[in-house]
Amino acid sequence: LPALPQIRAFRHWMLDEIAGQLSGRRPTAWTQVPGAPGATPTQLAPWDASEVEASDVPTVAADDGNRIIAVNHAAASLLGRPAHDLVGQRLTVLMPEHLRERHIAAFTSLLLTGESRILGRSIPVPALHRDGHVIPVRLSIQTQEAVDGRTVFVAHLTTTTVVPAPPHAPRDERYPTRPVPGPVHLPTTAKRAHGTGDGAAVWLALFADAGRALHSTLDVDERLRRVCHVLTRELADWCAADLLDEDGRLRRVCVAHRDPRVPVPDRHLGPLPTVSETSRGSLARVLRGAGPLLETGLPRTGPAQSPLEARQLELMADLGASSSVVAPLRAQREVIGALTMVRVRDVPPFTKDDIPLIAELVRAIALAVDNARLHRHAHDNAEHLQRALLPELPRAEHLQLTARYIPSSRTAEVGGDWYDAFTLPGGDTVLVIGDVTGHDLRAAVAMSALRNMLRGIAVDRQEPPGEVLRRLDLASQTLSPHSTATCAYAVVKSDGDTVNLNHSSAGHLPPLLTTRAGDARFLDAGRGLLIGMDPDLPRPSACDPLPPDSTLLFFTDGLIERRGEPLDDALARLRQYAAGHARDPLDVFCDELVIRFGADTTDDIALLALRLTPPPD
């Protein structure tokens, strides 16, 4: 029984089975899939609603009844909805209409079978803003176990568009705080760090456990929560983590206890008073560069000398501290935060002999946290730069245009993927998609230069697509002789009641044409060499008619290419899936492709889709 899932659906299923079998119905099996990613509750971080609210990462938590139970201010700001209005509603309120039935079916399947396709993975999906527009996000869901045994689903949202960072809003007082229970028996401090066994082996194991916790996620706050839970299991009864942001504002990320049944009052989490030159107390001294500092004889009496010291003394009193070590999280050049490790009464206190090894441990923690912060900043800057290079789509009569750009979930660099669409002086619409070799700033610069050259060449002369790409190749060889790229160039031309696509490809994957009836084929004519190979070779052009209500899809290789899978198989999967969604609205069509093929991709994805709409009767 302890191995069975602790979710409400299981209890309902079990009672229904008992009643059904008593009446003669045949039994059915509860299938529990072993090793399903993320299907077991996280052991490092038990569910705590206060940690969700204190996090700067947009986070939404839901129970096994598919209802929202916690939303932090970052998520509320991203979605344009007050947090208190979302709590109690079903998760589907955050989804576009076309995804709601799918979510309900998948969520029900997860509860009934234990099998999941998205837990523990990074999935690109659209989220619904309050005003009705769609926000592309990456969704990462983990399960955590609540104190009463229920499963809680915690979703972190990473925006894939440029969204201003939410301000540090005050805590919503309408949220009920969790009551502090009566006295709980606190186990004695772990044997590892308290003199039993080989001391060197004890500390080596502690370093190893902390390292695994730190490298299990790239999220800064989550790294600190996980390492705090490791430290409370091995070294201390309580552990608090504080971080300084770039503006010098101090925020308490988490307060963890070795016993997950002991809640943390909300008042101890979130923004803390400013650290000034006049601030007193161990925490202020550590944040100014001192430490690690050992404090014994707690709780200390007497008035506090600064607001920050008052908050720290209040924390020590509430935790029942008898001794503590406050250690700086020191990066290469500056202090970025602090860890406070606390031992309670009736437990052997910290001593000065513990300080050298604690200092070394915290130094490693600080480097890992700083690396995660640098990765996040680099990823955000790269994404903002990449999106600044992407164009706005033109408006064209009887044509719908939709584009998607999904950055890689595993890199923090700009890439060479791009799409473009613009109108020529004669009124024809140009569609372009390409990919410059490389995945760094140099590739992004080369991509921008290539796109701008192509625009100028296309507008200068109304030539066949193959000739446009030949001139682009010549210009690229002259100005950027060491750069190579793939590119597909197409012109949509109307001639009476018929619409034709004139196109040519420089080593790029062929566009996919899907009719409303569900027929799909790749337009693989007009193929030539990559840009940057040989500008003297002639490049072919091709012409294909576009049926009414048909959908034309241009895409980069990040959408389909996967290690170990033949390209023909990947293209066949895309053709089959696109045909099944031929009647979906164009936005939905693109979202379905991104959701289906964009999970955990190691490369950027660019999509450009066009649909012919018949003129009104």
Side-chain angles (χ1 to χ4, degrees):
L1 284 178
L4 292 173
Q6 301 296 316
I7 52 179
R8 188 179 305 144
F10 174 76
R11 295 192 292 272
H12 291 172
W13 170 86
M14 183 172 64
L15 294 174
D16 182 65
E17 279 297 302
I18 293 172
Q21 291 179 39
L22 288 175
S23 62
R25 191 176 65 195
R26 292 179 60 84
T28 57
W30 176 283
T31 303
Q32 186 73 1
V33 178
T40 58
T42 300
Q43 298 300 318
L44 287 172
W47 157 248
D48 189 339
S50 60
E51 290 184 356
V52 171
E53 295 177 16
S55 175
D56 277 350
V57 177
T59 305
V60 178
D63 63 10
D64 50 26
N66 202 26
R67 292 192 180 276
I68 299 171
I69 58 176
V71 181
N72 65 3
H73 293 289
S77 176
L78 174 66
L79 300 168
R81 302 166 181 262
H84 61 272
D85 286 350
L86 289 173
V87 173
Q89 296 198 52
R90 293 197 177 274
L91 273 174
T92 48
V93 74
L94 306 180
M95 304 173 190
E97 186 71 33
H98 68 277
L99 293 180
R100 293 177 181 177
E101 288 188 8
R102 175 187 296 185
H103 165 77
I104 292 172
F107 192 79
T108 303
S109 174
L110 168 64
L111 295 182
L112 293 177
T113 69
E115 182 177 5
S116 169
R117 296 180 179 178
I118 67 170
L119 291 183
R121 303 176 67 192
S122 175
I123 309 292
V125 295
L128 189 63
H129 193 273
R130 184 178 187 176
D131 63 12
H133 81 271
V134 169
I135 308 168
V137 300
R138 274 197 176 274
L139 180 68
S140 178
I141 303 177
Q142 295 177 337
T143 58
Q144 295 177 275
E145 186 172 308
V147 173
D148 60 2
R150 293 180 301 114
T151 297
V152 176
F153 299 87
V154 182
H156 300 289
L157 312 178
T158 305
T159 59
T160 57
T161 55
V162 181
V163 178
H168 288 273
R171 190 173 300 280
D172 193 330
E173 296 301 334
R174 283 170 286 188
Y175 276 118
T177 58
R178 294 172 60 184
V180 179
V184 176
H185 173 69
L186 301 179
T188 57
T189 312
K191 294 180 180 180
R192 279 188 175 179
H194 287 272
T196 59
D198 183 357
V202 166
W203 282 99
L204 285 174
L206 179 57
F207 271 78
D209 290 347
R212 282 191 291 271
L214 288 167
H215 291 91
S216 60
T217 176
L218 284 174
D219 180 73
V220 177
D221 289 5
E222 187 61 25
R223 279 191 173 194
L224 282 172
R225 290 192 189 99
R226 294 184 181 187
V227 80
C228 280
H229 282 287
V230 168
L231 296 179
T232 56
R233 289 205 311 266
E234 315 288 356
L235 185 64
D237 295 290
W238 290 90
C239 185
D242 306 324
L243 273 184
L244 286 163
D245 65 14
E246 294 177 349
D247 298 322
R249 293 173 297 194
L250 185 63
R251 176 173 58 92
R252 180 150 287 156
V253 175
C254 71
V255 179
H257 185 262
R258 68 168 58 252
D259 187 344
R261 296 173 298 171
V262 179
V264 178
D266 287 352
R267 66 181 181 276
H268 290 308
L269 296 170
L272 293 175
T274 303
V275 183
S276 66
E277 292 299 326
T278 59
S279 297
R280 297 291 182 265
S282 58
L283 179 57
R285 291 171 57 198
V286 162
L287 292 170
R288 289 199 296 264
L293 298 181
L294 171 65
E295 287 191 306
T296 56
L298 298 174
R300 209 191 72 201
T301 58
Q305 301 300 311
S306 67
L308 181 59
E309 184 183 18
R311 289 288 298 273
Q312 188 76 348
L313 291 177
E314 181 185 10
L315 177 67
M316 294 296 105
D318 284 357
L319 301 187
S322 65
S323 66
S324 70
V325 174
V326 186
L329 293 172
R330 184 178 286 107
Q332 294 182 356
R333 296 184 179 180
E334 59 183 356
V335 175
I336 60 174
L339 281 180
T340 300
M341 288 154 281
V342 173
R343 288 183 183 170
V344 299
R345 292 179 288 273
D346 302 326
V347 169
F350 287 109
T351 68
K352 63 181 181 181
D353 295 334
D354 296 319
I355 299 303
L357 285 171
I358 288 178
E360 192 65 31
L361 175 62
V362 174
R363 186 177 297 113
I365 294 171
L367 289 176
V369 170
D370 190 45
N371 286 340
R373 283 169 40 132
L374 291 174
H375 182 277
R376 184 183 65 188
H377 292 163
H379 187 277
D380 291 346
N381 291 337
E383 188 175 316
H384 291 182
L385 174 60
Q386 189 88 47
R387 292 196 173 277
L389 297 174
L390 298 176
E392 292 187 10
L393 300 179
R395 296 179 180 273
E397 188 177 7
H398 309 320
L399 297 179
Q400 292 182 41
L401 285 172
T402 297
R404 295 286 186 269
Y405 176 78
I406 308 299
S408 167
S409 62
R410 301 185 185 181
T411 65
E413 296 178 329
V414 289
D417 291 28
W418 95 93
Y419 62 83
D420 200 1
F422 53 91
T423 304
L424 294 174
D428 294 335
T429 300
V430 170
L431 306 176
V432 184
I433 197 160
D435 187 358
V436 174
T437 304
H439 204 287
D440 52 19
L441 184 59
R442 182 178 299 178
V445 172
M447 175 267 286
S448 180
L450 203 65
R451 187 193 70 174
N452 291 332
M453 285 192 292
L454 179 56
R455 281 191 164 206
I457 292 170
V459 172
D460 178 50
R461 301 181 194 174
Q462 307 294 305
E463 295 179 315
E467 181 61 18
V468 171
L469 289 182
R470 188 195 67 79
R471 293 176 61 201
L472 176 66
D473 196 359
L474 178 61
S476 177
Q477 285 277 12
T478 304
L479 301 175
S480 303
H482 302 295
S483 177
T484 59
T486 67
C487 181
Y489 176 86
V491 182
V492 181
K493 287 182 170 289
S494 297
D495 183 11
D497 293 335
T498 62
V499 179
N500 292 318
L501 183 77
N502 296 334
H503 59 99
S504 182
S505 172
H508 199 82
L509 293 170
L512 176 63
L513 179 64
T514 306
T515 67
R516 186 172 178 80
D519 297 324
R521 65 185 179 92
F522 290 101
L523 307 182
D524 52 7
R527 293 180 295 178
L529 291 176
L530 278 71
I531 300 293
M533 298 298 290
D534 189 347
D536 296 328
L537 286 178
R539 290 186 175 274
S541 298
C543 181
D544 287 280
L546 299 179
D549 274 340
S550 62
T551 301
L552 184 68
L553 176 70
F554 292 85
F555 56 95
T556 56
D557 55 7
L559 181 68
I560 60 168
E561 286 191 352
R562 299 295 182 267
R563 186 184 299 274
E565 181 183 28
L567 181 59
D568 288 345
D569 293 349
L571 290 171
R573 283 193 300 114
L574 176 62
R575 183 178 64 243
Q576 181 180 6
Y577 197 78
H581 292 274
R583 294 176 177 267
D584 289 345
L586 194 59
D587 282 347
V588 176
F589 177 84
C590 291
D591 288 339
E592 291 289 347
L593 293 178
V594 168
I595 294 171
R596 173 64 178 83
F597 296 98
D600 300 320
T601 178
T602 58
D603 197 1
D604 299 341
I605 297 173
L607 300 180
L608 179 61
L610 174 142
R611 177 169 293 169
L612 272 64
T613 57
D617 294 337

